[in-house]
Amino acid sequence: MQGIEKYSVTLQNYLDEVITVKEPIQLYEPIKYIVSLGGKRLRPVLTLLSCDMFNSDYKNALPAALALELFHNFSLIHDDIMDEAPLRRGKETVHQKWDLNTGILSGDAMLILAYQLFEEYEHIMFRDLAKLFSKTALQVCEGQQYDVDFETRNDVTIPDYIKMIDYKTAVLLGASMKMGAIVANASEECKTNSYDFGRNLGIAFQLQDDYLDAFGNPKTFGKQIGGDIIANKKTFLYIKALQNSSEKDKVVLEKLFSEKPEDPTNKIKTVLEIYNASGATKETLKEISAYTQKANKVLNKLDISEKNREVLLNFGEKLMKRNV
Amino acid sequence: MQGIEKYSVTLQNYLDEVITVKEPIQLYEPIKYIVSLGGKRLRPVLTLLSCDMFNSDYKNALPAALALELFHNFSLIHDDIMDEAPLRRGKETVHQKWDLNTGILSGDAMLILAYQLFEEYEHIMFRDLAKLFSKTALQVCEGQQYDVDFETRNDVTIPDYIKMIDYKTAVLLGASMKMGAIVANASEECKTNSYDFGRNLGIAFQLQDDYLDAFGNPKTFGKQIGGDIIANKKTFLYIKALQNSSEKDKVVLEKLFSEKPEDPTNKIKTVLEIYNASGATKETLKEISAYTQKANKVLNKLDISEKNREVLLNFGEKLMKRNV
């Protein structure tokens, strides 16, 4: 892990240097606040790692890496408003600590600041990075919209769901990998493969997130266990359970997902039982493993040293074995 | 005006072609809706006009022009949320017609779509346009933040106010002019001068807007007359009136601007009387004229034909004599 830590430490130093609080304070303070809450720094680490793999100084990828972290945090600020979430990483969300307007405006500024970071690169690289960024950012918005739409839809299929998490989460991990390859001037094939690796890993990552939300260890997960069940979120687990349950359980599940009881303890308990009984839990774990394997298969096609392949393989495995 | 109309018609056709409603509908429908509400199309018309002036086919500037119009509409959607405005151009605002989340997310997508339009240009031009766009967009966010800050500040000076409207409104008109010059491959000097022309015109334009908000013809202005007074907005008129009023009027003005009466008729009447008596009205008109002259002075430095200079001069004059 020494290698990986090196990236997050360098990113943190660069972030501290670049993201400063200036006038108007009310605009820039929330930006500094949200990026200082930490998090896994998954996206920028992937970018630096990828750049390093393709034999370029990973520090060259710092602006692109930070752009992705800023974008991710921008989307967190705006998503937290939409979800009316009071907490993020155990601390107050921006709209909660300040107000709605601050959340909207600081988020907007962050998105623009992300684009500005690409100006550190010469014009062809700038164009390649900004183009990939825009395409990805728009997909993330579309993914968020699908997620919102699913709340009121009762006909969400497994492919619908996979597309939603692909757009909302996975494409950004794909772009994180690919940006490292772009900065390293890697071949087109390497760019495509690194993108596919990140994207498949991203789907596995999000399915894992859904799984942990239901079955994670409350001591290590950080978020409330059963949060998706409380919010009636149609996750992979839910859709699979609906498909595979007995008629009786199906009725129970649908009824529970139309309610928001004050005390959700019994609701969570029953839903988890149905997830297990229907085989949905097993199928989710199988799906996580399938996407991880897909990612590893692309990994084998990457034109990198065996040592580096090992690093990426371990990185993916650690991510899948995480409990946070 | 035939020349100017040509630009808005061509822009409209291009907009109809490019901005379409696709999946997810809920994300793209509000975008189509807000851009279809019309408006003066001031920013894109300036871009096309500027490109034309510098002897390039103005149609080459269509993507940049539309990017500016999208950005402007993005900022309207988010500003309307912040101002809790129910109406925009006589129709429901996006967050009113749909909801808060739709307003936030569709706005975000519009900002990204604006950036994507620059991809129509080769990489050096792409970089120049995107860089100017980011710088300007960030200033617009800062201007909006200053505007919000002013609501709770009692020490706003005239320079503070001019800086706020410069950032919130004028720099975007400067960028609109400059983008036309960039697309036309005009000289650096022309780019700078066209930017300065638009920016000075923009300050005059916003001061005019403040003036019309207080003294415009309710039949033609489109917005509610006295809207700024009702909202206790510290405009140029208000700050000047505070500076120049008798102690007695100053106390009255400050008291009125701390209240929001159900029926604002008397409040508006008294405030307008103080604006007139203090000379603030006259000083505002003088300031509008000063910035218009500043713009025209830069206009004389522009390396364009006399016929084109005439067109720009007339354009500025029409804008200043407008009553909408």
Side-chain angles (χ1 to χ4, degrees):
Chain A
M1 274 306 273
Q2 216 249 307
I4 303 294
E5 247 168 49
K6 168 181 76 181
Y7 303 128
S8 45
V9 170
T10 315
L11 189 270
Q12 187 61 46
N13 291 336
Y14 181 68
L15 187 155
D16 289 342
E17 183 193 315
V18 173
I19 306 301
T20 53
V21 178
K22 51 178 187 172
E23 288 283 348
I25 305 289
Q26 184 82 358
L27 185 67
Y28 291 104
E29 210 170 48
I31 295 174
K32 186 81 184 171
Y33 170 78
I34 183 100
V35 294
S36 301
L37 292 185
K40 287 182 283 294
R41 309 286 193 211
L42 184 54
R43 292 143 199 90
V45 164
L46 275 179
T47 304
L48 299 178
L49 184 62
S50 161
C51 183
D52 208 353
M53 302 279 115
F54 293 115
N55 303 312
S56 184
D57 183 353
Y58 71 89
K59 289 186 180 130
N60 293 335
L62 278 169
L66 184 54
L68 292 161
E69 185 66 8
L70 286 187
F71 175 78
H72 176 57
N73 280 275
F74 141 82
S75 71
L76 294 183
I77 295 183
H78 281 192
D79 285 4
D80 283 341
I81 295 176
M82 297 185 216
D83 296 341
E84 298 178 28
L87 294 177
R88 165 67 61 186
R89 292 171 182 147
K91 297 274 166 73
E92 281 177 294
T93 48
V94 168
H95 70 274
Q96 183 78 21
K97 188 173 166 72
W98 286 272
D99 51 33
L100 172 70
N101 293 358
T102 304
I104 294 175
L105 200 55
S106 294
D108 293 346
M110 270 186 114
L111 177 55
I112 300 160
L113 284 170
Y115 273 103
Q116 275 191 324
L117 282 161
F118 299 124
E119 293 173 16
E120 298 293 319
Y121 300 96
E122 50 75 25
H123 46 263
I124 295 187
M125 206 173 270
F126 171 79
R127 192 179 198 280
D128 287 349
L129 292 168
K131 223 175 142 173
L132 173 59
F133 183 80
S134 290
K135 183 188 148 209
T136 308
L138 204 55
Q139 285 175 320
V140 173
C141 287
E142 292 178 1
Q144 170 68 7
Q145 184 63 55
Y146 284 123
D147 198 14
V148 171
D149 290 348
F150 287 1
E151 281 176 31
T152 50
R153 269 180 55 188
N154 286 313
D155 57 350
V156 181
T157 64
I158 289 289
D160 288 341
Y161 183 74
I162 296 289
K163 186 182 176 179
M164 186 275 281
I165 61 172
D166 182 26
Y167 276 33
K168 193 172 165 172
T169 305
V171 293
L172 192 60
L173 299 193
S176 301
M177 282 295 295
K178 189 172 176 177
M179 282 199 189
I182 291 174
V183 173
N185 269 313
S187 69
E188 281 309 312
E189 206 193 335
C190 283
K191 288 180 198 162
T192 307
N193 286 336
S194 59
Y195 181 80
D196 290 343
F197 170 75
R199 193 167 177 175
N200 283 307
L201 200 68
I203 296 179
F205 175 79
Q206 186 55 51
L207 289 171
Q208 170 83 349
D209 216 55
D210 292 357
Y211 174 79
L212 289 174
D213 192 277
F215 297 104
N217 182 341
K219 282 185 191 146
T220 52
F221 186 55
K223 285 185 272 185
Q224 181 179 22
I225 296 297
D228 287 344
I229 296 170
I230 294 169
N232 296 329
K233 275 226 168 213
K234 285 148 194 149
T235 61
F236 192 93
L237 282 161
Y238 174 80
I239 302 167
K240 268 288 166 201
L242 263 198
Q243 277 179 5
N244 297 354
S245 286
S246 64
E247 268 312 304
K248 200 189 117 229
D249 277 358
K250 211 183 135 180
V251 172
V252 173
L253 197 55
E254 282 185 314
K255 189 171 175 300
L256 285 171
F257 266 66
S258 68
E259 300 166 345
K260 290 202 176 183
E262 286 252 345
D263 177 0
T265 319
N266 281 330
K267 175 180 171 182
I268 295 174
K269 190 171 164 281
T270 313
V271 169
L272 293 184
E273 280 166 10
I274 297 177
Y275 284 175
N276 286 332
S278 64
T281 311
K282 260 190 200 151
E283 292 220 39
T284 304
L285 291 168
K286 230 171 81 187
E287 199 79 359
I288 294 169
S289 157
Y291 276 101
T292 312
Q293 273 171 41
K294 247 185 176 175
N296 292 340
K297 216 169 150 184
V298 189
L299 189 58
N300 286 324
K301 289 198 282 178
L302 274 185
D303 186 19
I304 52 175
S305 71
E306 285 315 308
K307 200 180 133 249
N308 283 339
R309 208 184 308 283
E310 196 78 6
V311 173
L312 275 175
L313 196 73
N314 284 339
F315 184 79
E317 272 186 7
K318 282 236 158 62
L319 211 57
M320 289 316 132
K321 280 184 191 145
R322 79 200 150 91
N323 47 19
V324 287
Chain B
M1 279 304 273
Q2 215 249 305
I4 304 293
E5 246 166 53
K6 170 182 73 183
Y7 302 128
S8 45
V9 170
T10 315
L11 188 272
Q12 187 60 47
N13 291 336
Y14 182 68
L15 187 155
D16 290 342
E17 184 193 310
V18 173
I19 307 300
T20 53
V21 179
K22 52 178 184 170
E23 286 286 345
I25 305 289
Q26 183 83 358
L27 184 67
Y28 290 105
E29 209 169 49
I31 295 175
K32 186 81 183 172
Y33 170 78
I34 184 98
V35 294
S36 302
L37 292 184
K40 289 182 282 292
R41 308 286 193 213
L42 184 53
R43 293 143 199 89
V45 164
L46 275 178
T47 304
L48 299 178
L49 184 61
S50 162
C51 184
D52 208 352
M53 301 280 116
F54 294 113
N55 302 311
S56 185
D57 184 351
Y58 70 88
K59 290 187 179 129
N60 294 336
L62 277 169
L66 184 55
L68 292 161
E69 185 66 9
L70 287 188
F71 175 78
H72 175 57
N73 280 274
F74 141 80
S75 70
L76 295 182
I77 295 183
H78 281 191
D79 285 4
D80 283 341
I81 295 174
M82 297 185 216
D83 297 340
E84 297 178 30
L87 294 177
R88 167 65 62 185
R89 294 172 180 145
K91 298 274 167 73
E92 279 177 294
T93 47
V94 168
H95 69 275
Q96 183 78 21
K97 190 173 165 73
W98 285 271
D99 52 35
L100 172 71
N101 293 356
T102 304
I104 294 175
L105 200 56
S106 294
D108 293 344
M110 268 184 116
L111 177 56
I112 300 159
L113 284 171
Y115 274 103
Q116 275 191 324
L117 281 161
F118 299 123
E119 293 172 15
E120 296 294 317
Y121 300 96
E122 51 75 26
H123 45 263
I124 295 189
M125 205 171 272
F126 171 79
R127 191 177 199 279
D128 289 348
L129 292 168
K131 224 176 141 172
L132 173 60
F133 183 80
S134 289
K135 183 188 148 210
T136 309
L138 204 54
Q139 286 175 319
V140 173
C141 288
E142 292 178 1
Q144 171 68 9
Q145 185 61 56
Y146 284 123
D147 198 13
V148 171
D149 290 347
F150 287 2
E151 280 175 35
T152 50
R153 268 180 57 187
N154 285 316
D155 57 349
V156 181
T157 64
I158 289 289
D160 288 342
Y161 182 74
I162 296 290
K163 186 182 177 180
M164 185 276 281
I165 62 173
D166 182 26
Y167 276 32
K168 192 172 166 170
T169 304
V171 293
L172 192 60
L173 299 194
S176 301
M177 283 294 296
K178 189 170 175 178
M179 283 198 188
I182 291 172
V183 173
N185 269 313
S187 69
E188 280 309 311
E189 205 192 337
C190 283
K191 287 181 200 164
T192 307
N193 286 334
S194 60
Y195 180 80
D196 290 343
F197 170 76
R199 192 166 177 177
N200 283 306
L201 200 70
I203 296 179
F205 175 80
Q206 186 55 51
L207 289 171
Q208 170 83 350
D209 216 55
D210 292 356
Y211 174 79
L212 290 173
D213 192 276
F215 296 105
N217 183 340
K219 281 185 189 143
T220 52
F221 185 56
K223 284 185 274 187
Q224 182 179 23
I225 296 298
D228 287 343
I229 297 171
I230 295 169
N232 297 328
K233 274 228 168 210
K234 285 146 194 155
T235 62
F236 193 93
L237 283 161
Y238 173 79
I239 302 166
K240 268 288 166 202
L242 263 199
Q243 277 179 3
N244 298 354
S245 285
S246 63
E247 269 310 307
K248 200 188 118 228
D249 276 359
K250 213 184 134 178
V251 171
V252 174
L253 197 55
E254 282 187 316
K255 187 170 178 303
L256 285 170
F257 266 65
S258 68
E259 300 166 347
K260 291 202 176 181
E262 284 252 345
D263 178 359
T265 319
N266 282 329
K267 173 179 172 181
I268 295 174
K269 192 170 162 283
T270 313
V271 169
L272 292 184
E273 279 165 9
I274 298 177
Y275 284 174
N276 286 331
S278 63
T281 311
K282 261 189 199 150
E283 290 219 43
T284 303
L285 290 169
K286 232 172 79 186
E287 198 80 359
I288 293 169
S289 159
Y291 276 101
T292 311
Q293 274 171 39
K294 247 185 176 174
N296 291 339
K297 218 170 148 184
V298 190
L299 191 57
N300 287 324
K301 291 199 282 180
L302 272 185
D303 187 21
I304 53 174
S305 73
E306 286 313 310
K307 201 182 132 248
N308 282 339
R309 208 184 308 282
E310 197 77 7
V311 172
L312 275 176
L313 196 74
N314 284 337
F315 184 79
E317 274 187 4
K318 283 238 158 66
L319 211 56
M320 289 315 133
K321 282 185 188 143
R322 80 202 149 91
N323 47 20
V324 285

